[in-house]
Amino acid sequence: MTINETILKSYDNTPYPFLGYQQTHPDTVASVARLLGLTPTDVAHCRVLEVGCAVGGNLIPMAYALPDSEFIGFDISTTQIEAGQAMINALGLTNIQLMTLDIMDATEDKLGKFDYIIAHGIYSWVPDDVRDRLMAMCDALLTENGIANISYNVLPGWKMMGMLRDMMQYHTRNTDTPEDQVSESRELATFLVDAVPQLNKGTVSFFSSYRDFLEGYNEFVLKGRDESSFPANLMLHDELAPINHAVYFHQFAEHCAQHNLQYLSESNLSKVMPTNMPQSIAQEILQMSGNIIEMEQYMDFLYNRTFRQTLICHDTLDIQRKLTPDVAMMSQLYIASNAQLTTPNAIISEKGVARWKGGNGAEFATDNPITKEAMRILLDVFPQSIAFPELHKLVTQSIYSRTPD
């Protein structure tokens, strides 16, 4: 059985879960692109392609919410495509189509060009020739201002995850069914999490790092999947996938360049901001870095990052790396925030610094009364978002309606 046949069998036997990923939504991608000076296609009237769409769990909700846009998804697994197309038919959607197609056969003649391309869970989990074909396809199928969203595992962080993957593969070497592979792998991971801290190894640094890694895996992966909508068998298509090829970020960027593509940003813009770290550390990173690629690579070293969700575009586009206030651009955006006030004794309406912390750990501080009022309003209406002009109006009304002290 070839590696491609093995991958196909794994998805036919255990379809990828019906999951959606907010960070791949064209609205998220377009917002980041606008902040960086690009002019992405209006998401209300765009064409979106998802490579490896599985049953359409990510694409179908987008098509439902954006009826005037067109969505195409393809996958090598006919089993998954048929299940997804049945859901589309049941919903009566006419702006989305799922098809069985090998990425090696995905051409402009068959599919056309797209404003947004999504490749979630593809790059690190396919053979070298397919990985290269993905990049060539993005170059060929993206429109002039098009943007692709590609996820992949990265080094150095994945080295420790790869170590655990090796252990799982050894532990399940005689296991017959996918279900048993998952359950036995989880049993091994749970055993290691419980047993390793009980060993008397003192404060030897390498052992402590191993113990801390296992505790982190248990907290953020095993428990995280148990407590969320992510089913346990997601492990089968990640840690236990037939191929799991992690790369350094600079290698990914070089691969992009080989196909006339360039790094734009991460889909979560806050992940690329050196301002989210102590100023002295940020300054050291900037001094070591000759360009954006080097800076991102050093940040991966610093954070020991394991995973990226990267936005790329044609290398002919002029990206504005320095964020500057642009009222015309901001007026086109909606804003939402659930950041919590971390200075409980601070009264927002009074002078002094107030601090907030977001769900992703990002922190923000200001003594500006207008900004503080905006943060209060955003938290009050969350999870709803507010158009920037409307937020400006509400803040102005609130600030100027108060009686001076």
Side-chain angles (χ1 to χ4, degrees):
M1 185 180 295
T2 67
I3 186 62
N4 287 336
E5 289 171 337
T6 300
I7 293 173
L8 174 59
K9 182 180 178 181
S10 73
Y11 282 98
D12 278 343
N13 291 343
T14 310
Y16 195 82
F18 190 92
L19 296 172
Y21 297 96
Q22 178 185 355
Q23 66 273 16
T24 69
H25 197 288
D27 205 17
T28 299
V29 175
S31 297
V32 173
R34 288 187 184 281
L35 288 170
L36 295 176
L38 301 188
T39 53
T41 301
D42 182 356
V43 299
H45 302 89
C46 67
R47 294 194 82 226
V48 180
L49 172 68
E50 181 162 23
V51 183
C53 64
V55 294
N58 193 40
L59 208 58
I60 292 173
M62 295 181 192
Y64 185 86
L66 298 169
D68 295 324
S69 291
E70 181 183 1
F71 297 83
I72 303 290
F74 70 79
D75 200 285
I76 58 171
S77 171
T78 300
T79 300
Q80 295 188 114
I81 292 298
E82 290 177 347
Q85 197 60 51
M87 282 186 273
I88 290 170
N89 295 338
L91 289 168
L93 299 177
T94 59
N95 63 330
I96 179 173
Q97 178 186 2
L98 305 185
M99 62 181 72
T100 303
L101 183 66
D102 190 313
I103 190 174
M104 306 302 284
D105 301 319
T107 62
E108 183 180 348
D109 289 342
K110 291 181 180 179
L111 301 170
K113 285 187 175 287
F114 295 88
D115 304 300
Y116 302 95
I117 294 178
I118 302 166
H120 183 79
I122 304 295
Y123 189 88
S124 285
W125 298 267
V126 294
D128 292 347
D129 60 335
V130 178
R131 192 176 304 118
D132 196 61
R133 175 58 192 159
L134 172 63
M135 289 304 203
M137 188 204 70
C138 288
D139 180 33
L141 268 57
L142 280 174
T143 57
E144 181 181 357
N145 293 311
I147 303 166
N149 187 322
I150 300 180
S151 69
Y152 52 103
N153 289 331
V154 289
L155 302 171
W158 184 258
K159 283 185 180 291
M160 295 192 76
M161 288 293 291
M163 175 185 71
L164 184 58
R165 164 184 159 83
D166 291 343
M167 296 179 198
M168 290 176 173
Q169 288 182 318
Y170 177 80
H171 186 63
T172 61
R173 64 196 182 283
N174 298 319
T175 303
D176 295 326
T177 68
E179 292 78 10
D180 288 343
Q181 272 189 293
V182 171
S183 62
E184 291 182 19
S185 293
R186 287 177 62 90
E187 287 173 4
L188 173 65
T190 301
F191 164 73
L192 293 172
V193 167
D194 293 339
V196 167
Q198 300 179 45
L199 302 178
N200 184 18
K201 292 292 182 179
T203 59
V204 178
S205 58
F206 288 122
F207 186 81
S208 299
S209 298
Y210 178 44
R211 180 190 61 215
D212 293 345
F213 161 71
L214 289 171
E215 291 176 352
Y217 181 81
N218 180 57
E219 188 68 27
F220 296 106
V221 180
L222 296 181
K223 287 184 179 179
R225 287 174 182 167
D226 290 341
E227 296 170 0
S228 71
S229 60
F230 286 72
N233 67 4
L234 187 63
M235 179 184 287
L236 193 68
H237 301 304
D238 193 359
E239 293 99 315
L240 297 175
I243 296 175
N244 202 313
H245 178 74
V247 297
Y248 284 100
F249 172 72
H250 74 87
Q251 294 172 322
F252 177 82
E254 290 162 6
H255 197 187
C256 289
Q258 292 169 15
H259 293 279
N260 308 307
L261 300 165
Q262 66 175 325
Y263 171 68
L264 173 60
S265 172
E266 292 303 290
S267 56
N268 184 341
L269 189 58
S270 68
K271 297 287 186 182
V272 305
M273 295 295 181
T275 51
N276 285 335
M277 61 183 71
Q279 186 175 359
S280 60
I281 296 176
Q283 196 62 40
E284 287 281 349
I285 290 288
L286 291 172
Q287 289 176 357
M288 287 189 288
S289 307
N291 54 50
I292 185 67
I293 303 302
E294 292 181 2
M295 187 186 78
E296 289 289 337
Q297 184 59 80
Y298 282 119
M299 287 176 69
D300 280 6
F301 293 162
L302 184 65
Y303 288 114
N304 197 34
R305 195 168 284 163
T306 63
F307 182 71
R308 274 183 173 263
Q309 298 167 98
T310 298
L311 307 183
I312 61 176
C313 61
H314 289 301
D315 60 10
T316 54
L317 297 182
D318 183 19
I319 301 170
Q320 303 300 313
R321 298 290 179 189
K322 185 176 181 180
L323 298 182
T324 55
D326 185 333
V327 175
M329 181 271 293
M330 292 294 292
S331 66
Q332 303 174 48
L333 300 180
Y334 283 75
I335 302 176
S337 173
N338 67 339
Q340 302 293 317
L341 188 65
T342 60
T343 46
N345 295 327
I347 300 176
I348 294 179
S349 60
E350 294 183 354
K351 293 181 180 179
V353 174
R355 301 179 184 276
W356 288 264
K357 187 172 185 178
N360 61 356
E363 296 183 338
F364 172 74
T366 182
D367 62 354
N368 184 288
I370 295 176
T371 305
K372 289 193 286 186
E373 183 63 15
M375 295 296 291
R376 182 193 68 78
I377 292 172
L378 288 172
L379 183 58
D380 282 349
V381 302
F382 189 82
Q384 287 183 311
S385 58
I386 304 179
F388 183 78
E390 178 64 18
L391 178 61
H392 181 269
K393 177 182 176 182
L394 292 173
V395 170
T396 301
Q397 290 175 343
S398 177
I399 290 290
Y400 291 104
S401 66
R402 292 179 182 152
T403 304
D405 293 335

